[in-house]
Amino acid sequence: MSKTTPGTRADEKPAAPPPGEDDLGAAGSQLSTAPAETAVPGSFGGRRAPGAAGWLAWTGRETVGWVRWFWRQLTSMRVALLLLFLLSLGAIPGSLIPQTGSDAMKVEAFRQAHTTLGPVYDRLGLFHVYSSVWFSAIYILLFVSLIGCIVPRTWQFTGQLRSRPPGAPKRLTRLPAYATWRTSAAPEEVREAALRTLRQRRFRAHLSGDAVAAEKGYLREAGNLLFHIALIVMLIAFAWGQLFKTEGNKLIVEGDGFANTLTQYDDFKSGNLFDDDDLVPFSFTLKKFTGTYEPSGPNKGTPRTYQADIDYSVGADGKERHRTVKVNEPLEIDDAKVYLVSHGYAPTVTVRDGKGRVVYRQAVPLLPLDPNVTSQGAIKVMDGYRNAQGKSEQLGFAAFFVPTFAGAGKGTMFSQFPALQFPVLSLGAYHGDLGVDAGTPQNIYQLDTKNPKLKPFKDAKGNILKSRLLPGETLTLPGGAGSITFDKDIKEWAGFQIVQQPGTGWALTGAVAAIFGLAGSLFIQRRRVWVRAVAGADGVTVVEVAGLGRSESAKLPEEIGALAALVHDKAPTQPDAGSDPERSAATPVPAEGAEKK
């Protein structure tokens, strides 16, 4: 048995095929559906005929030619990768610069702090990157590029699946992996044995003339197409989610409820195509918030239990159900998800006027300032209060709350632990006009002490009336103005973020499909194999086995060697005259790169 391993070195020119013989022809074609690269064109119109008609015809041909060239460039893999890189690069300022869609107050603060950069960022659209013209243009071009790349390649790949592997080239010795031997078996027997062997190894194989043609590795191109289709699915899902998404926050005190309508949100933002009717109809009530913390050690104060027990119902007449919402374990209702994002305390206070009549009793949520839930806020009595002279007024109290007070003389008014171990409420009292009726928006957690119509209560020394209260204690306002009591009922509140973003399931499916498709296109090799068996001049059958892959791979010669060995077992080498039959029969089938003996 002999073997030929042709090939040229890098410094040699390949020998030209003899006259009448082609190179690889159809055998080396269509191993990939990637479009051929096109060079920068010259003139598409050719020679221009004289006159206006000639100029119009030349202009039309030139225009069509440039449009076709631009389309080929847009749908090339190089441009698609460039657009994908530009898209990721354009998302960087959207992460570093405050965006109007997520936090308009930060954007305004940035403009005021950076009087030079602010107008520049405005003109460049950097405060609304994801809805800017340039980002949308990159997004749309990438979308068009992927579709323009996939459609023709899918059509071509479908045609390849329906067709048979091409016949063997005339000169198998020109292929990168090649083996040959002589056998006493008839050519028909060798071809039948090769056909069965190739089909057993999951090749698509058929008889073509004097050879068996086989092909394998179609999943490589299928994976490539799957990867591109998955990218399109992800782009559509992300765009759909951004256009129809909603995101809002709601602070709820224990015992209070929430219905998923716009008026119930503390703050709300949505996509450009959102409609009020798109909100998922549901409601829930916060029954109890539970938080436990590490009592000692280096992790002292770290939450151990952080959960909210809620009762919820879907629709107007939905059955009430119970659910515990934890961090990263949201309540899911259709496309809406309810996340637990924050927690704090809501001390209950009772305000009475000078006649002892209760004018205000409510659990007032205060906002935490640190991990130990040191909290501050405002208590605003806007209706029903009359001062000692019987005149209608409004009351305001600047509130500062600590769940665990270190004690008087042991430091500042800051909490030492997040749990309710030694709660203290500090109050500063004001009266007059809170300014809430002026039509100007104001923070419900702050008092506008600069308002000239809001005056502080004074103590006996002429200072602003302030007091630290323990649960059950009362601060009496001077001049018979009434009192405020820190009740023993201290409630907790939970902050929820309600997110509704359609298309997340499709985005996840696209991401998983893209991973599988990319793995298939990287690790599966498309290759073709031919086994030719013909009778030689002396009547002895000459068997040739050769293979061709889309790209160079060390596994191709190994596979050709293994296939040749299987065929050789059924059509063994015929010993040459005067040679040792046993030695010749035991001669292995060499693969490419083996040393000649």
Side-chain angles (χ1 to χ4, degrees), residues 211-529:
V212 177
E215 190 167 3
K216 192 177 183 181
Y218 288 92
L219 287 178
R220 177 188 181 96
E221 192 61 31
N224 194 10
L225 293 174
L226 177 62
F227 173 75
H228 287 81
I229 293 173
L231 285 182
I232 291 181
V233 171
M234 291 172 64
L235 288 175
I236 294 176
F238 288 145
W240 186 269
Q242 289 297 316
L243 290 173
F244 291 93
K245 75 171 184 179
T246 64
E247 183 179 311
N249 295 283
K250 179 63 177 180
L251 186 152
I252 303 176
V253 179
E254 289 176 330
D256 292 344
F258 167 81
N260 194 25
T261 59
L262 287 180
T263 56
Q264 290 280 299
Y265 284 95
D266 295 333
D267 61 82
F268 183 85
K269 55 180 177 288
S270 63
N272 295 333
L273 299 182
F274 164 76
D275 187 82
D276 295 358
D277 296 333
D278 295 333
L279 287 175
V280 178
F282 69 90
S283 60
F284 67 89
T285 300
L286 175 63
K287 306 301 291 185
K288 181 177 177 57
F289 179 88
T290 303
T292 60
Y293 310 90
E294 289 289 344
S296 60
N299 295 324
K300 180 180 178 181
T302 302
R304 298 174 61 182
T305 305
Y306 207 75
Q307 62 187 39
D309 296 325
I310 64 174
D311 291 337
Y312 73 98
S313 61
V314 181
D317 302 318
K319 181 180 178 181
E320 189 172 81
R321 288 169 280 187
H322 182 77
R323 173 67 187 274
T324 298
V325 180
K326 302 179 181 179
V327 177
N328 297 326
E329 294 182 18
L331 169 65
E332 297 186 26
I333 304 174
D334 294 337
D335 287 336
K337 293 183 179 181
V338 181
Y339 292 91
L340 175 63
V341 295
S342 58
H343 156 257
Y345 292 102
T348 302
V349 296
T350 301
V351 179
R352 294 177 173 84
D353 59 15
K355 297 181 180 181
R357 184 170 56 92
V358 175
V359 295
Y360 182 91
R361 176 177 288 159
Q362 188 171 326
V364 182
L366 305 178
L367 300 183
L369 301 175
D370 57 29
N372 286 327
V373 203
T374 301
S375 307
Q376 72 173 3
I379 301 170
K380 298 181 180 181
V381 182
M382 294 177 285
D383 300 309
Y385 172 78
R386 291 182 179 274
N387 59 19
Q389 290 77 32
K391 184 179 179 181
S392 178
E393 270 192 330
Q394 294 176 334
L395 297 179
F397 300 89
F400 202 84
F401 176 79
V402 291
T404 302
F405 183 44
K410 296 183 179 180
T412 56
M413 182 74 174
F414 282 94
S415 178
Q416 308 299 308
F417 194 71
L420 287 172
Q421 294 182 351
F422 186 10
V424 173
L425 177 64
S426 176
L427 297 174
Y430 297 81
H431 67 100
D433 185 0
L434 295 173
V436 295
D437 301 325
T440 304
Q442 60 176 247
N443 193 332
I444 63 173
Y445 299 103
Q446 291 181 349
L447 284 179
D448 184 11
T449 56
K450 296 181 180 180
N451 179 7
K453 296 182 180 181
L454 186 63
K455 301 176 181 180
F457 283 104
K458 300 294 183 68
D459 59 16
K461 298 180 179 180
N463 299 321
I464 297 177
L465 180 63
K466 295 181 179 180
S467 179
R468 292 176 180 173
L469 302 179
L470 296 176
E473 293 184 344
T474 299
L475 170 62
T476 301
L477 302 177
S483 65
I484 179 170
T485 301
F486 176 22
D487 297 339
K488 295 183 178 181
D489 181 20
I490 302 175
K491 295 185 177 181
E492 301 188 47
W493 60 261
F496 295 93
Q497 184 179 66
I498 298 92
V499 178
Q500 186 173 325
Q501 187 167 0
T504 53
W506 283 103
L508 178 61
T509 302
V512 174
I515 293 174
F516 279 102
L518 184 61
S521 64
L522 291 177
F523 298 110
I524 298 176
Q525 184 186 18
R526 181 92 172 269
R527 65 270 196 200
R528 289 172 179 163
V529 175

Side-chain angles (χ1 to χ4, degrees), residues 69-269:
W69 178 84
F70 177 78
W71 176 253
R72 292 192 187 102
Q73 302 309 307
L74 180 61
T75 56
S76 67
M77 183 60 63
R78 181 186 299 109
V79 173
L81 291 175
L82 178 61
L83 290 172
L84 191 61
F85 173 74
L86 289 177
L87 193 70
S88 59
L89 196 65
I92 294 177
S95 302
L96 301 178
I97 300 173
Q99 301 293 293
T100 54
S102 57
D103 198 333
M105 296 182 66
K106 281 189 177 180
V107 173
E108 188 60 33
F110 186 92
R111 289 195 181 104
Q112 295 176 2
H114 303 82
T115 55
T116 303
L117 282 178
V120 175
Y121 285 2
D122 268 326
R123 283 193 290 270
L124 295 177
L126 296 183
F127 290 127
H128 50 92
V129 169
Y130 304 111
S131 60
S132 62
V133 174
W134 57 269
F135 191 86
S136 301
I138 297 174
Y139 200 92
I140 294 173
L141 283 176
L142 177 60
F143 191 78
V144 173
S145 176
L146 289 174
I147 292 180
C149 181
I150 288 174
V151 171
R153 293 182 69 165
T154 303
W155 184 257
Q156 185 179 352
F157 182 60
T158 303
Q160 292 180 15
L161 292 176
R162 297 176 62 184
S163 63
R164 290 184 168 187
K170 294 182 178 181
R171 299 179 63 194
L172 291 178
T173 55
R174 297 184 62 85
L175 300 183
Y178 175 80
T180 183
W181 70 93
R182 292 157 54 88
T183 180
S184 57
E188 294 80 6
E189 297 176 359
V190 177
R191 291 195 286 267
E192 288 295 332
L195 184 63
R196 288 194 301 271
T197 300
L198 288 167
R199 286 178 175 174
Q200 289 173 357
R201 296 177 69 89
R202 300 188 300 277
F203 277 84
R204 294 180 61 203
H206 71 105
L207 289 172
S208 177
D210 58 0
V212 177
E215 190 167 3
K216 192 177 183 181
Y218 288 92
L219 287 178
R220 177 188 181 96
E221 192 61 31
N224 194 10
L225 293 174
L226 177 62
F227 173 75
H228 287 81
I229 293 173
L231 285 182
I232 291 181
V233 171
M234 291 172 64
L235 288 175
I236 294 176
F238 288 145
W240 186 269
Q242 289 297 316
L243 290 173
F244 291 93
K245 75 171 184 179
T246 64
E247 183 179 311
N249 295 283
K250 179 63 177 180
L251 186 152
I252 303 176
V253 179
E254 289 176 330
D256 292 344
F258 167 81
N260 194 25
T261 59
L262 287 180
T263 56
Q264 290 280 299
Y265 284 95
D266 295 333
D267 61 82
F268 183 85
K269 55 180 177 288

